[in-house]
């Protein structure tokens, strides 16, 4: 049997164990046959139908169950042992075993969840070679490292229609994520129908909300893909949209209107009035009846306390009850809410802030602060999940997120028992800068690398191999209908304004958005800001830059022609792009960036000449160029010329 | 005012009258405001909402009705005079007048149909320049040349799910088409639920059919876009799928199974049995109640008569009734069916074959035969529409279809009154070689050029200008969600099998599928044939080939470097593509094509050297190369190296 290293599979997440076999199972029109054995349920039939459809789409081979050319033995035999929980939990057995031989494939799993994960693995294995489409012979034993592998989607700051949510769930299932955290309310919008308090969605959403029928549809869609759905209703802060219809919930006098800006705002629920808890009791009762998951997220983050400070009645309440700080006041509120959540049969989740001394230990903390905060909670017996390090909106590379481990850093010294309390993690897609058009380009493919961190063995950390497989999974995701590739092209076309797309793409491929919160700092943005600029198009993670940097790092003799080719293309791009920039309101802000690219590419070419001996390596030359490259390093239009460090390396090498 | 020629608009179809104005209406977040005046109906509100959404998508500027930054005067004021018919007919007033000034735009139309057409024109006018997005000042008075502008979609040979039908309607509305002809039954499938005769869809569709609710959904969706929906139930031939459930309708003994091959088949309804007409009466009653259009299509094409010849009872019937030929027997059948259709309050449409001596004149003939057949019908007082020349499945260029005029050729000598009987035309998308994945790449953008033929004044015939505008409308269609561009890229990626897409694209961009019915002749195809090869990817109309041919035709001194660049790319492509071909079952058949491209490009470069004087123009050189180019001219893998004629021209020029 071939050694493991020789079997360069394209799987993401990497399975726990992969044992290559000999030969290959051919995939043709007969693949339409998947045979289900053992425990049966409708969800398994649907999953089998979906697998056939996805294989047909990936291969372009028509597959229609039941009408194949011949009637062969099923090329994929599935055995499922028993049902998973009626409402999916974080304690499910998601393992599976997949065996592929040239004669057929067999998938064994204790529950439908494992079957579905195994089918996604099978789909990823489908490839083409000189003999046609097929799956390599292999034995895979697989199970997740963490039981909680999530994505939080903020549909409140920018509204995401139902189709976008479903498409996101398609992608999640493909990389074995199992928790969809739905951030449904914010200062900027209340996004779900409440029959009990209709002014919430009627006055708080600009008409952009999900009906309860649609919510049920999403929950069913997610369950069919092995994904839990957890709603978040952020309180007591981040709640301005509630107050538009129900100002009596707030701590200030109002009136309120839907917030159009981004940021942290003063309005907060009034923790001192019984009517607020009565309202929340009724509301949480309605929502917990709608969402079956055992958890219910109450947010709890970023209360600035200004409304509390300004309200004499609240100040009086604090004095009367010996509450010494706003943090204590929030803890009082959160304990009350936790009681309500528990009364309705659910466990509470909140962001770090919800954890206080006398909070019951059966809550779950979602940490935007980091592993240290999770570790502190775990030591107190509280379960948690990590989100710090997985914020997709901050413009970091896949490698950056990939390096973050829920049990790394401050959680590394936990005991084995305490580690069990770290259930996994959730990536967060906050939507200040994300419209439906941009959604997939901001979530995918980076999310797949994070999914691997949540699923695969801890020691799977090879970044180069991750990127190789990320390319493959990215193409697979496009076959599923995700739009990260498509929308990138369309946005480039918009920037090109009817002119040639090439020069715009050349620039877009070597820039990245500024990281972290630098974008918000650079420019005032709000709900009405067009997100159609180069910064919106630019990928947080440029394949081109990574490729070029690799060539410069390696710099074998064979790499020099490609390095030169790239540099010449960048140098000459300004000539082609400048006239387009002059005629484009959207590209105008990128004039200097384009000039800088050309200038540093020219410096790169000079360095190459020196390296190849075509020019003498003059002493003062580098110093002369340093200033130019340092200027080019500064962000322009909130964009970083991310190819600059590699060119600088080239210059240094030419010393 | 600038002369018309200076106003190079991107409109397709070209309006009847375009009068350019001065300046430009700016489009920003406030465009969300469309004001509706005069006659109102829900459809107008929906159309206004759709326009705002499409402008938002095209520009990337967020537009949410009612929550704009300011509350400005409506930048688009609409005035609609009165309702169109409750059921849209071919006699509607579809005209509109659109006036754009820097201060605002006004759209006037007699009916909602004109309003909707005018809105599509407005959307096409939206563009970007150095000042941002906007619409140029202009006055447009517009109305269609023909009242019947259709697309026939065959959903029977390959099934097209609901989403594909809706997407097709989106595209149709964008280019002002107004008839969706739904080819719902065939030998290969019966695609609609019949409550009266459920074995039709249950046994004749492999489960791939539209429910009646879905049909109503499509009809409503079409009406919201000013499009009529006409169903076709092909009879007495092309009906094998009916006979699977109801063999008693056929002229032969059966049993029948759903046909998996393509072609013309023997089974045909029995025109001699009263039970057949009773069945059709009940069935047509059910379907005419479902489809509101005044027309009902009964097909009628391509009956080979073999089952009739072989059935002694039918032969006896013919003798008894003095019916001398199968054509007469079909005429007998068609007259009976026409009576039934009329009884249910509809007018009958059929293909050419339905027209016989004693057929009532109130039918409509759809001609696959040509203008001469239409003219003959018109002279007999029968109305007709042209489809000959508009078969999208035959692989012809947009220019080819564009040159076909419903009133050209054999119809040119009709009197004015007779010409009125030629109502327009319908493009036909037969689906032997079209899956949902391929649908848009086969319909768009060529369909837009045909739509222009149906709408625009007869004298609009400039092919170069058509192609320029076709590029723009193609991008607009992609913003609407049509997938012709996207699927092309994805299919190239599939062919590349994980390798670089570039070399595959280079080859795909210079080949075209064989034309007419040559593909069916070249290779046995059926329902199970994978349509994932280069021929399925290759466009019937290559931009690259057109560009190169234009350069060669013009051959200014400035064009030579680009000509050389193309030729070098093609020559060198073989080196890059050959190793991929060796590892790809899908590309294997293209090995010779790739070699030939390289070889003829090398010849082209030699010709260029001779033209530029770098090589002497030797006498025998051309003769030497002629054989090579002639070999390369032969189709390979059903593909034509369509760049060869331009290279040949270059060689000839180097004499």
């Amino acid at each position: 049997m071939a050694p493991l290293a020789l079997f360069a599979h394209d799987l993401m997440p990497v399975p726990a164990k992969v044992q290559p076999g000999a030969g290959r199972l051919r995939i043709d029109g007969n693949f339409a046959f998947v045979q289900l054995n053992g425990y049966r349920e409708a969800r398994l039939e649907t999953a089998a139908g979906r697998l056939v459809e996805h294989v047909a789409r990936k291969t372009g081979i028509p597959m229609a169950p039941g009408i194949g050319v011949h009637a062969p033995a099923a090329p994929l035999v599935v055995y499922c042992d028993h049902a998973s929980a009626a409402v999916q939990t974080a304690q499910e057995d998601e393992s599976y075993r997949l065996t592929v031989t040239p004669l057929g494939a067999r998938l064994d799993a204790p529950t439908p969840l494992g079957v579905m994960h195994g089918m996604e693995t099978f789909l990823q294995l489908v490839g083409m070679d000189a003999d046609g489409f097929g799956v390599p012979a292999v034995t895979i034993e697989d199970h997740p490292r963490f039981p909680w592998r999530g994505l939080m989607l903020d549909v409140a700051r920018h509204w995401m229609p139902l189709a976008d949510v479903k498409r996101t769930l398609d992608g999640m299932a493909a990389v074995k994520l199992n928790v969809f955290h739905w951030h449904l309310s914010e200062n900027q919008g209340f996004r779900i129908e409440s029959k009990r308090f209709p002014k919430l969605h009627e006055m708080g959403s600009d008409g952009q909300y999900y009906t309860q029928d649609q919510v049920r549809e999403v929950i069913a869609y997610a369950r069919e893909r092995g994904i839990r759905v957890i709603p978040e209703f952020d309180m007591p802060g981040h709640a301005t949209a509630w107050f538009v219809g129900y100002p009596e919930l707030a701590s200030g006098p109002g009136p309120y209107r839907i917030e159009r800006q981004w940021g942290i705002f003063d309005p907060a629920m009034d923790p001192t009035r019984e009517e607020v808890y009565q309202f929340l009791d009724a509301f949480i009762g309605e929502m917990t009846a709608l969402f079956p998951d055992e958890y219910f997220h109450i947010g709890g983050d970023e209360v600035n306390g200004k409304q509390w400070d300004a309200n004499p009645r609240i100040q009086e309440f604090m004095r009367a009850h010996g509450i010494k700080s706003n943090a204590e006041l929030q803890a009082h509120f959160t304990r009350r809410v936790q009681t309500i959540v528990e009364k309705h049969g659910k466990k509470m989740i909140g962001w770090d802030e919800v954890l206080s001394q006398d909070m019951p230990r059966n809550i779950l903390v979602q940490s935007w602060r980091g592993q240290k905060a999770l570790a502190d909670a775990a030591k107190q017996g509280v379960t948690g999940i990590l989100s710090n390090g997985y914020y997709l909106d901050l413009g970091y590379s896949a490698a950056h997120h990939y390096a973050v481990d829920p049990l790394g850093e401050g959680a590394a010294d936990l005991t084995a028992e305490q580690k069990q309390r770290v259930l996994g993690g959730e990536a967060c897609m906050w939507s200040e800068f994300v419209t439906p058009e941009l959604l997939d380009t901001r979530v995918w493919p980076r999310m797949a690398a994070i999914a691997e961190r949540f699923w695969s063995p801890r020691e799977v950390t090879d970044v180069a191999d991750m990127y190789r497989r990320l390319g493959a999974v990215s193409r697979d995701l496009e076959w599923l209908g995700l739009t990260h590739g498509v929308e990138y092209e369309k946005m480039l076309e918009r920037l090109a304004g009817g002119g040639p797309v090439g020069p715009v793409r050349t620039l877009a491929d070597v820039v990245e958005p500024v990281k972290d919160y630098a974008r918000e700092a650079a420019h005032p943005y709000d709900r009405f800001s067009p997100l159609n600029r180069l910064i919106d198009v630019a990928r947080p993670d440029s394949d081109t830059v990574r490729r070029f940097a690799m060539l410069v790092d390696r710099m074998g003799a064979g790499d020099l022609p490609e390095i030169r080719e790239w540099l010449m293309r960048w140098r000459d791009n300004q000539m082609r792009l400048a006239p387009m920039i002059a005629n484009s309101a959207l590209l105008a802000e990128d004039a200097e960036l384009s000039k800088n690219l050309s200038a540093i590419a020219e410096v790169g070419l000079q360095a190459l000449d020196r390296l190849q001996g075509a020019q003498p390596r003059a002493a003062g030359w580098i110093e002369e160029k340093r200033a130019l490259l340092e200027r080019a390093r500064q962000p322009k239009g909130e964009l970083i010329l991310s190819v600059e460090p590699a060119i600088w390396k080239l210059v240094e090498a030419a010393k």
Side-chain angles (χ1 to χ4, degrees), chain A:
Chain A
M1 217 169 249
L4 203 106
L6 287 184
F7 183 63
H9 63 70
D10 283 347
L11 298 173
M12 180 168 265
V14 165
K17 277 191 203 164
V18 179
Q19 181 75 6
R24 191 159 175 272
L25 171 67
R26 189 179 164 78
I27 297 281
D28 58 22
N30 293 322
F31 177 67
F33 297 87
V34 174
Q35 193 189 103
L36 299 172
N37 300 300
Y39 168 75
R40 296 289 286 271
E41 63 177 39
R43 184 159 65 150
L44 285 166
E45 315 273 348
T46 324
R50 208 163 55 226
L51 175 61
V52 171
E53 189 196 322
H54 290 164
V55 172
R57 222 186 283 177
K58 186 171 176 177
T59 60
I61 300 172
M63 294 172 182
I67 61 161
V69 190
H70 322 292
L76 178 60
V77 175
V78 174
Y79 181 82
C80 181
D81 191 70
H82 57 267
S84 61
V87 173
Q88 190 174 328
T89 73
Q91 290 85 45
E92 308 275 356
D93 188 339
E94 298 182 273
S95 69
Y96 67 91
R97 182 191 163 93
L98 175 66
T99 314
V100 182
T101 74
L103 298 177
R106 184 181 163 100
L107 173 58
D108 288 277
T111 74
L113 301 173
V115 171
M116 289 190 281
H117 294 317
M119 284 176 169
E120 298 293 351
T121 300
F122 186 90
L123 177 63
Q124 287 189 350
L125 285 169
V126 173
M128 192 205 16
D129 67 13
D131 296 325
F133 286 97
V135 175
V138 70
T139 300
I140 290 174
E141 285 177 67
D142 201 8
H143 62 271
R145 180 175 167 218
F146 292 106
W148 194 297
R149 306 177 306 278
L151 168 62
M152 187 224 71
L153 181 62
D154 172 7
V155 298
R157 288 181 174 84
H158 275 105
W159 162 244
M160 303 289 163
L162 202 64
D164 302 292
V165 171
K166 287 186 174 178
R167 206 173 60 244
T168 302
L169 291 166
D170 291 341
M172 290 177 66
V175 294
K176 304 184 171 64
L177 292 168
N178 66 357
V179 179
F180 177 62
H181 168 172
W182 212 351
H183 188 80
L184 284 163
S185 72
E186 257 305 336
N187 299 309
Q188 293 84 3
F190 189 94
R191 303 296 180 198
I192 183 172
E193 175 192 23
S194 169
K195 294 182 192 294
R196 187 76 182 74
F197 302 106
K199 285 191 284 183
L200 284 171
H201 65 276
E202 284 169 6
M203 299 178 69
S205 77
D206 301 309
Q208 298 181 321
Y209 64 90
Y210 310 101
T211 65
Q212 295 201 0
D213 279 344
Q214 288 176 323
V215 168
R216 274 184 283 266
E217 195 179 328
V218 166
I219 293 168
Y221 194 90
R223 182 172 167 82
E224 283 207 331
R225 284 156 183 78
I227 298 170
R228 300 159 55 201
V229 178
I230 298 177
E232 177 184 354
F233 296 97
D234 211 341
M235 59 184 84
H238 286 284
T240 307
W242 306 52
F243 306 153
V244 183
Y246 300 93
E248 63 273 24
L249 299 174
S251 306
Y256 296 92
R257 54 171 206 81
I258 298 175
E259 185 56 58
R260 306 303 185 193
Q261 312 298 123
W262 309 137
I264 296 174
F265 299 93
D266 301 346
M269 290 180 187
D270 187 338
T272 69
R273 296 182 53 237
E274 277 312 305
E275 294 84 345
V276 170
Y277 298 109
Q278 286 159 13
F279 182 104
L280 290 176
D281 188 6
F283 175 76
I284 292 173
E286 181 183 9
M287 291 299 141
T288 51
L290 184 59
F291 289 92
D293 200 85
E294 66 175 324
Y295 283 92
F296 189 87
H297 203 307
I298 61 111
D301 54 324
E302 300 182 324
V303 182
N304 72 13
K306 288 191 188 167
Q307 275 201 338
W308 295 344
D309 295 340
N311 184 326
R313 203 175 32 68
I314 293 177
Q315 293 303 309
E316 174 50 36
F317 179 92
M318 288 170 75
R319 272 190 296 278
H321 292 74
I323 296 172
K324 294 187 191 65
S325 68
N326 285 333
E328 279 185 31
L329 183 60
Q330 184 175 350
H332 166 83
F333 172 84
T334 307
R335 277 193 308 278
R336 291 289 307 266
V337 173
Q338 189 274 332
T339 316
I340 295 170
V341 169
E342 189 165 294
K343 171 187 149 191
H344 291 290
K346 304 286 182 181
K347 296 178 186 166
M348 189 183 87
I349 315 184
W351 300 96
D352 300 82
E353 289 93 327
V354 302
L355 193 59
S356 60
Q357 278 304 51
D358 49 355
M359 184 62 66
R361 305 292 90 173
N362 66 343
I363 65 163
L364 185 139
V365 170
Q366 175 165 22
S367 185
W368 59 265
R369 287 186 179 147
Q371 290 95 332
K372 176 68 170 59
L374 270 192
D376 290 346
K379 285 172 190 164
Q380 298 170 46
V382 173
T383 55
I385 54 174
L386 184 67
S387 281
N388 177 294
Y390 303 128
Y391 273 34
L392 293 166
D393 53 315
L394 300 186
Y396 288 108
S397 67
H400 172 96
H401 297 303
Y402 194 62
V404 177
D405 194 298
L407 290 175
E409 304 284 331
D413 64 345
L414 291 177
T415 66
E417 192 196 346
Q418 288 163 349
K419 281 183 178 171
Q420 292 293 320
R421 298 197 184 110
V422 178
L423 298 184
E426 278 185 12
C428 293
M429 184 75 272
W430 300 106
S431 65
E432 281 93 342
F433 300 107
V434 183
T435 58
E437 173 181 32
L438 291 162
L439 177 62
D440 290 11
T441 70
R442 291 324 191 197
V443 174
W444 306 102
R446 291 181 301 157
M447 181 74 241
I450 302 175
E452 175 155 296
R453 179 57 50 240
F454 296 159
W455 177 283
S456 300
R458 180 168 193 161
E459 53 276 13
V460 176
T461 52
D462 182 331
V463 171
D465 191 59
M466 178 275 283
Y467 274 118
R468 182 185 63 75
R469 289 176 293 108
L470 194 63
V473 82
S474 180
R475 282 190 297 275
D476 274 1
L477 290 165
E478 292 191 30
W479 285 116
L480 289 186
L482 292 168
T483 62
H484 48 292
V486 176
E487 294 293 356
Y488 185 68
E489 292 302 317
K490 282 160 82 173
M491 290 188 290
L492 288 176
E493 285 204 352
R494 183 196 284 140
L495 285 175
V501 177
V504 184
R505 184 185 291 114
T506 298
L507 181 60
D509 280 348
V510 295
V511 298
E512 289 174 12
V514 290
K515 313 289 170 187
D516 212 69
Y517 292 100
R519 184 168 184 184
E520 286 173 276
H523 190 103
Y525 284 99
D526 62 26
R527 162 75 178 76
F528 304 110
S529 306
L531 299 178
N532 55 6
R533 295 153 57 210
L534 187 58
I535 181 181
D536 299 299
V537 179
R539 289 166 162 152
D541 210 352
S542 162
D543 287 347
T544 302
V545 170
R546 208 163 49 245
R547 167 88 191 159
F548 184 79
M550 185 277 288
L551 291 171
V552 169
D553 282 344
R554 193 171 64 185
M555 205 129 55
D559 297 324
L560 298 181
E562 188 180 339
I563 291 176
R564 182 172 295 275
E565 203 179 309
W566 281 115
L567 290 168
M568 285 172 60
R569 179 184 304 177
W570 295 330
R571 182 196 58 192
D572 299 341
N573 198 56
Q574 161 69 1
M575 203 173 59
R576 304 165 66 204
L577 194 56
M580 296 176 67
I581 289 176
N583 286 306
S584 163
L586 289 182
L587 290 173
E589 65 183 344
D590 306 314
E592 201 180 340
L593 205 63
S594 176
K595 255 187 258 168
N596 285 349
L597 174 63
S598 183
I600 66 170
E602 172 60 35
V603 174
L605 284 165
Q606 291 169 12
L608 209 58
D609 285 345
R610 282 167 172 75
L611 278 164
Q612 297 188 296
Q615 286 281 326
R617 305 191 183 193
W621 178 77
I622 285 207
E623 286 316 309
E624 197 187 310
K625 302 302 173 191
R626 184 193 299 276
L628 192 151
L629 270 87
E630 274 174 2
R631 263 201 317 281
R633 199 171 297 161
Q634 303 310 313
K636 301 278 170 317
E638 300 142 67
L639 282 165
I640 303 163
L641 204 45
S642 53
V643 79
E644 182 273 338
I647 293 181
W648 176 245
K649 222 176 241 183
L650 198 65
V651 170
E652 293 250 282
K655 253 184 199 165

Coordinates of all heavy atoms in Angstrom, one line a residue, chain A residues 13-31:
Chain A
P13 N -12.3 19.6 5.2 CA -11.3 19.4 6.1 C -10.6 18.0 6.0 O -11.3 17.0 5.6 CB -11.9 19.4 7.5 CG -13.4 19.3 7.3 CD -13.7 19.7 5.9
V14 N -9.3 17.9 6.3 CA -8.6 16.7 6.3 C -9.2 15.7 7.3 O -9.5 16.1 8.4 CB -7.1 17.0 6.7 CG1 -6.4 15.7 7.0 CG2 -6.4 17.7 5.5
P15 N -9.5 14.5 6.8 CA -10.1 13.5 7.7 C -9.1 13.0 8.8 O -7.9 13.2 8.7 CB -10.4 12.3 6.8 CG -10.4 12.9 5.4 CD -9.4 14.0 5.5
A16 N -9.6 12.4 9.9 CA -8.8 12.0 11.0 C -7.8 10.9 10.5 O -6.7 10.9 10.9 CB -9.7 11.4 12.1
K17 N -8.3 10.0 9.7 CA -7.4 8.9 9.1 C -7.7 8.7 7.7 O -8.8 8.5 7.3 CB -7.6 7.6 9.9 CG -6.9 7.5 11.2 CD -6.9 6.1 11.7 CE -6.7 6.0 13.2 NZ -7.1 4.7 13.8
V18 N -6.6 8.7 6.8 CA -6.8 8.4 5.4 C -5.8 7.3 5.0 O -4.6 7.4 5.3 CB -6.5 9.6 4.6 CG1 -6.6 9.3 3.1 CG2 -7.4 10.8 4.9
Q19 N -6.3 6.2 4.5 CA -5.4 5.1 4.1 C -5.6 4.8 2.6 O -6.7 4.3 2.2 CB -5.9 3.8 5.0 CG -5.1 2.6 4.7 CD -3.7 2.7 5.4 OE1 -3.4 3.6 6.1 NE2 -2.8 1.7 5.1
P20 N -4.7 5.2 1.8 CA -4.9 5.0 0.4 C -4.9 3.5 0.0 O -4.3 2.7 0.6 CB -3.7 5.7 -0.3 CG -2.7 5.8 0.8 CD -3.3 5.8 2.1
G21 N -5.7 3.3 -1.0 CA -5.8 1.9 -1.6 C -5.3 1.9 -3.0 O -4.6 2.8 -3.4
A22 N -5.6 0.8 -3.7 CA -5.0 0.6 -5.0 C -6.1 0.7 -6.0 O -7.2 0.1 -5.9 CB -4.3 -0.7 -5.2
G23 N -5.9 1.6 -7.1 CA -6.9 1.7 -8.1 C -7.9 2.8 -7.9 O -7.7 3.7 -7.1
R24 N -9.1 2.7 -8.6 CA -9.9 3.8 -8.7 C -11.3 3.3 -9.0 O -11.5 2.4 -9.8 CB -9.4 4.6 -9.9 CG -10.0 6.0 -10.0 CD -8.9 6.8 -10.9 NE -9.5 8.1 -11.2 CZ -10.2 8.4 -12.3 NH1 -10.5 7.4 -13.1 NH2 -10.6 9.6 -12.5
L25 N -12.3 3.9 -8.4 CA -13.7 3.6 -8.7 C -14.2 4.6 -9.8 O -14.1 5.8 -9.7 CB -14.6 3.8 -7.5 CG -16.1 3.8 -7.7 CD1 -16.6 2.3 -8.2 CD2 -16.9 4.2 -6.5
R26 N -14.6 4.0 -10.9 CA -15.0 4.9 -12.1 C -16.4 5.5 -11.8 O -17.3 4.8 -11.3 CB -15.1 4.0 -13.3 CG -15.3 4.7 -14.6 CD -15.3 3.7 -15.8 NE -15.9 4.4 -16.9 CZ -15.2 5.3 -17.7 NH1 -14.0 5.5 -17.4 NH2 -15.8 5.9 -18.7
I27 N -16.5 6.8 -12.2 CA -17.8 7.4 -12.0 C -18.4 7.7 -13.4 O -17.8 8.4 -14.2 CB -17.7 8.8 -11.3 CG1 -17.2 8.6 -9.8 CG2 -19.0 9.6 -11.3 CD1 -18.2 8.1 -8.8
D28 N -19.5 7.1 -13.7 CA -20.2 7.4 -15.0 C -21.7 7.6 -14.7 O -22.1 7.8 -13.6 CB -19.9 6.3 -16.0 CG -20.4 5.0 -15.5 OD1 -21.3 4.9 -14.6 OD2 -19.9 3.9 -15.9
G29 N -22.5 7.5 -15.8 CA -23.9 7.8 -15.6 C -24.6 6.9 -14.7 O -25.7 7.2 -14.1
N30 N -24.0 5.7 -14.3 CA -24.6 4.8 -13.4 C -24.4 5.2 -12.0 O -25.0 4.6 -11.1 CB -24.0 3.4 -13.6 CG -24.3 2.9 -14.9 OD1 -25.5 3.1 -15.4 ND2 -23.4 2.2 -15.6
F31 N -23.7 6.3 -11.7 CA -23.5 6.6 -10.3 C -24.8 7.0 -9.7 O -25.0 7.0 -8.5 CB -22.5 7.7 -10.1 CG -22.4 8.1 -8.7 CD1 -21.9 7.2 -7.8 CD2 -22.9 9.3 -8.2 CE1 -21.8 7.5 -6.4 CE2 -22.8 9.7 -6.9 CZ -22.3 8.8 -6.0

